[in-house]
DNA sequence: TAATTTTTTTAACGGTGTTAGATTATTTAC
DNA sequence: GTAAATAATCTAACACCGTTAAAAAAATTA
C-alpha cells in the first residue's frame, strides 16, 4: 500500500517542522528561551509528541548543529570554487567562515559554544575594563615610537585578544588539541604580533 | 551598639558563603548544574534566604564574574611587573591571560561566554569534520612547497581558526567593536598568516 | 462493523527561579 | 523580666522546565 509511504512522508514533514519551529523560536528569542512546550505550541501539538520524533531536546540541538556544519561546508566549498590560487582560496574561505558566523549567528553559537547572555553590565561595573586597560597601556607604550592613533592601538589589542581568546575557547570547548601544540601556536602568534608592532620583524611561523 | 557591626559582619560572611558555595558547586559539577536550591543546601539554609543577599541568580553570577576580572587584573599586573621592556611585558601578560583561562576555567567561561556542553558527538556525526577538512586541504596545498609535516599543517590550521573564531566570539559576545575595524583586523590577520605560509612576506600590520 | 494498531493528549514527576505569607528567633522598650 | 517590635528564616506556592506513563482518541486492518 502506498499510504505507508505517504504517512512516512508526513512523519518526515513533522520532524522537519519541529526543527523549523525550534529554529524560529531561537531566532526570535534565544537559545535559552527554547523549550519543548514552545516548540509544541508552534507546531500546534502537545509537548510529548516531540519525543516521537526526537529522543530528547539535546537531539534537536544536535540536528540543528548538523545543519550548521552542512551550511558552513557548502559556504566554504563555494568560496574555494571562486578562486584558483590556494592563497586566494584560503583567504576567501576564512572570509566565508566569518560571514557564515554572522549570517547564521544562532547556528554558530550552537556549533562552537558561544553564549551571549554574559556580562552585559559593563557600566555597572568598571572592573571589567581593567584587564583591557592594562594590556592597552602596554601596547600603547610599545607603539609609542610610531605615533599611533587610538584606532591603531585598538586594532593591535583586538588582534592579540582574538588570537588568545580564540585559542582558549577552542581548547575549552573542544579539548582535543595537544598542550604542546597550543603553547607553540600561542607563543608564535604573540611573538609575531609583538614583532610586527615593534617593526623589527615578521610573522614567520617556522 | 557594637552588636550591629557584628551582625553586619555575619551578614557579609553569609554573603561570601553563598558565593563560595556557588563556586564550589560549579567547580565540582558545571555552570548548568548550579541551582539556588543547591546553593542553599550547601550553606545549610533554604533557597529563599539567598534572596536576602542577592537580587537573583544573575546577581550571583555577576559577582563571580567580577571576581574573575579582579583575579585576571592582578595576574596581568603581576606579569607586567616581572619585566621592564614593554615587549617582554606584553608577552608575559598574554601568557598570564592564557594561564588564567585554564587555572580559572569556570570563571573564564563565565566572563567570556564560553560554553562546554556543545558538540561532544563528533564520532556519531562526521559532517562536523567537513569544514575543518576543507580548510585543512587548502592549507596543505598552500604549504606543499615546504614539505610540511601533519603537525605543521595542524599548527597553521589552528592559528587561522583561533584568530577568526576569537574575533567572531568577541563580536558575538561583546558587540561593541565597529564592523570596519573588525574587517580590517580579520583581513590583516588572514593575509599575514597566508603570507607567512607562502614565505614571501611578513606579519606587518600597518 | 469489530478488533487492532497508531497517534495524540492528559496527568504527573521531579526539577528550576522566584515570591508572599506564616513562623520563629532576636532585639528593643518598658 | 515581660511585652512589643523587628529581623531572620522557613513553608508553601506559582509558573515554568524536560520527560514519562497511561489514558483517550483516531486511523487502519480484518
Amino acid at each position: 500500500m502506498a499510504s505507508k509511504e505517504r504517512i512516512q512522508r508526513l512523519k518526515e514533514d513533522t520532524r522537519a517542522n519541529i526543527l523549523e519551529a525550534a529554529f524560529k523560536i531561537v531566532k526570535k528569542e534565544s537559545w535559552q528561551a527554547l523549550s519543548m512546550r514552545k516548540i509544541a505550541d508552534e507546531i500546534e501539538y502537545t509537548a510529548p509528541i516531540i519525543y516521537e520524533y526526537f529522543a530528547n531536546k539535546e537531539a534537536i540541538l544536535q540536528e540543528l548543529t548538523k545543519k550548521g556544519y552542512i551550511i558552513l561546508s557548502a559556504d566554504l566549498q563555494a568560496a574555494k570554487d571562486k578562486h584558483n590560487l590556494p592563497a586566494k582560496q584560503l583567504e576567501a574561505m576564512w572570509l566565508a567562515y566569518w560571514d557564515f558566523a554572522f549570517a547564521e549567528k544562532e547556528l554558530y553559537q550552537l556549533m562552537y559554544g558561544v553564549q551571549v547572555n554574559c556580562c552585559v553590565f559593563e557600566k555597572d561595573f568598571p572592573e571589567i575594563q581593567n584587564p583591557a586597560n592594562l594590556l592597552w597601556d602596554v601596547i600603547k607604550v610599545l607603539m609609542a615610537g610610531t605615533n599611533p592613533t587610538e584606532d591603531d592601538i585598538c586594532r593591535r589589542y583586538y588582534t592579540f585578544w582574538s588570537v588568545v581568546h580564540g585559542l582558549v575557547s577552542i581548547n575549552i570547548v573542544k579539548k582535543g588539541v595537544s598542550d604542546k601544540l597550543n603553547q607553540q601556536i600561542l607563543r608564535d602568534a604573540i611573538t609575531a604580533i609583538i614583532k610586527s608592532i615593534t617593526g623589527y620583524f615578521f610573522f614567520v611561523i617556522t
Side-chain angles (χ1 to χ4, degrees), chain A:
Chain A
M1 229 161 257
S3 72
K4 270 255 164 69
E5 285 155 30
R6 180 182 52 89
I7 285 168
Q8 183 62 25
R9 271 203 307 277
L10 277 176
K11 288 207 77 170
E12 273 161 24
D13 270 16
T14 307
R15 208 186 121 94
N17 284 342
I18 290 172
L19 291 173
E20 207 177 307
F23 196 44
K24 183 177 169 184
I25 292 162
V26 169
K27 279 213 275 203
K28 203 198 300 179
E29 308 184 39
S30 74
W31 284 111
Q32 315 159 60
L34 181 67
S35 83
M36 298 302 258
R37 284 171 175 89
K38 273 188 197 165
I39 297 174
D41 257 29
E42 187 72 35
I43 61 170
E44 295 181 302
Y45 278 100
T46 52
I49 253 291
I50 303 174
Y51 293 84
E52 300 289 320
Y53 298 89
F54 295 93
N56 47 37
K57 191 182 179 182
E58 187 64 24
I60 297 176
L61 298 186
Q62 283 191 18
E63 201 68 35
L64 290 174
T65 307
K66 196 167 167 177
K67 182 186 166 181
Y69 278 100
I70 289 168
I71 296 176
L72 177 56
S73 295
D75 287 0
L76 291 179
Q77 186 67 56
K80 184 185 172 184
D81 291 344
K82 283 209 185 108
H83 297 87
N84 290 315
L85 289 174
K88 284 281 165 198
Q89 286 178 332
L90 203 52
E91 185 186 5
M93 286 168 90
W94 283 116
L95 290 174
Y97 183 101
W98 171 271
D99 288 339
F100 167 82
F102 293 98
E104 300 289 357
K105 192 177 121 183
E106 293 81 13
L107 292 182
Y108 192 90
Q109 285 180 64
L110 192 56
M111 293 157 73
Y112 298 110
V114 182
Q115 262 171 343
V116 257
N117 65 324
C118 92
C119 52
V120 219
F121 51 97
E122 308 203 3
K123 45 203 73 163
D124 311 335
F125 171 31
E127 281 95 330
I128 285 192
Q129 280 303 320
N130 283 354
N133 288 338
L134 279 169
L135 291 159
W136 194 283
D137 287 347
V138 180
I139 295 173
K140 197 171 195 170
V141 172
L142 193 65
M143 296 179 74
T146 62
N147 273 27
T149 65
E150 280 295 301
D151 253 32
D152 291 333
I153 302 168
C154 189
R155 269 169 56 211
R156 257 49 165 249
Y157 170 67
Y158 276 108
T159 306
F160 270 118
W161 191 19
S162 296
V163 176
V164 182
H165 172 68
L167 206 52
V168 166
S169 354
I170 285 169
N171 273 277
I172 287 178
V173 175
K174 332 216 168 225
K175 43 231 160 253
V177 202
S178 86
D179 278 359
K180 254 210 180 103
L181 205 62
N182 278 326
Q183 287 287 349
Q184 198 171 9
I185 295 171
L186 180 67
R187 283 187 173 279
D188 281 353
I190 291 172
T191 308
I193 305 175
I194 289 175
K195 286 189 175 172
S196 89
I197 290 176
T198 54
Y200 289 133
F201 258 105
F202 326 99
F203 196 14
V204 185
I205 308 177
T206 47

